[in-house]
Amino acid sequence: MNGWFSKRQSIRTEMLMLVCASAVAAILFVVALMLILDFFSKRGDKARQFRAVAGVMAENLTVAVSFQDADVAAELLHSLVSEPSITAAVALDADGEMVATYSQSAALQQEIVRQQEAGRFLYHHSSEYHGDLFTVRVPIVEAQEVIGCLVMTADTSDIWLDLSLLARDTCLACLAVMTVIITIARHLL
């Protein structure tokens, strides 16, 4: 009779371990899925936000680019300092000549100049990610005629910080739940 109880105890333990392993696998799957969805959601939100800022800035630059007023254009672009994620911006006229620039980084400004010289800036709406850098191109339009282009680059690396905090908090919550489950299971056995 004692041997049967040991086997029964062993089966209970095995069942408990199987249930715990299944729960951990399910929780990890859900957490991974949640992080992936949250990443793309945050990235999409950032893209919409930066496109909106670029659209407003392009509207504001219309007169400065139209009259080739580099000082006014530079002052307008410098107002982007209030948005720390925006790392660089350049206003170009219809001939592709720079009217004004704004940059928190000389390297980014050089990259914009290099792309501009290579004729990479098209005078239509476009945006793209290169790693954590998001670049938006918005035409500057006056009386339905394209008179220039605003190119703006933003750093989206803060998304990773948000996701790492979410992952940390979620893992701690899962650990707490698993601790409670194991404690209850020990008392039942």
Side-chain angles (χ1 to χ4, degrees):
M1 189 88 166
N2 196 11
W4 179 77
F5 184 73
S6 296
K7 287 181 183 178
R8 189 170 173 204
Q9 185 72 17
S10 177
I11 290 173
R12 281 186 179 176
T13 304
E14 286 179 17
M15 290 297 289
L16 176 65
M17 296 304 274
L18 182 62
V19 168
C20 285
S22 298
V24 167
I27 288 170
L28 289 175
F29 176 75
V30 169
V31 167
L33 185 61
M34 185 177 66
L35 289 173
I36 290 169
L37 291 174
D38 199 41
F39 169 76
F40 286 108
S41 174
K42 286 181 184 298
R43 190 171 165 165
D45 290 346
K46 287 279 189 183
R48 280 186 289 283
Q49 174 191 356
F50 294 135
R51 282 188 198 107
V53 170
V56 169
M57 182 58 67
E59 285 285 326
N60 292 341
L61 285 167
T62 301
V63 173
V65 171
S66 178
F67 290 106
Q68 295 290 316
D69 192 338
D71 293 334
V72 171
E75 184 178 326
L76 286 168
L77 289 178
H78 187 69
S79 69
L80 293 172
V81 76
S82 65
E83 181 63 50
S85 295
I86 298 174
T87 54
V90 63
L92 305 169
D93 66 13
D95 298 324
E97 298 296 320
M98 273 193 295
V99 177
T101 63
Y102 161 76
S103 180
Q104 295 179 4
S105 163
L108 283 173
Q109 188 170 359
Q110 289 172 355
E111 176 64 16
I112 287 177
V113 170
R114 186 188 63 75
Q115 288 182 9
Q116 183 261 339
E117 289 171 350
R120 196 144 176 260
F121 296 136
L122 304 173
Y123 292 88
H124 60 81
H125 290 273
S126 67
S127 58
E128 60 192 10
Y129 273 98
H130 292 287
D132 288 336
L133 291 179
F134 181 70
T135 302
V136 181
R137 292 175 193 84
V138 179
I140 299 171
V141 179
E142 181 180 52
Q144 298 183 343
E145 181 182 336
V146 176
I147 62 168
C149 180
L150 170 67
V151 182
M152 192 174 76
T153 302
D155 182 10
T156 61
S157 61
D158 59 331
I159 292 172
W160 294 109
L161 176 63
D162 292 345
L163 289 178
S164 67
L165 293 175
L166 177 63
R168 180 202 65 194
D169 294 345
T170 305
C171 288
L172 288 174
C174 291
L175 182 63
V177 167
M178 289 308 298
T179 302
V180 169
I181 289 172
I182 291 171
T183 302
I184 291 171
R186 278 187 169 172
H187 290 298
L188 292 177
L189 292 178

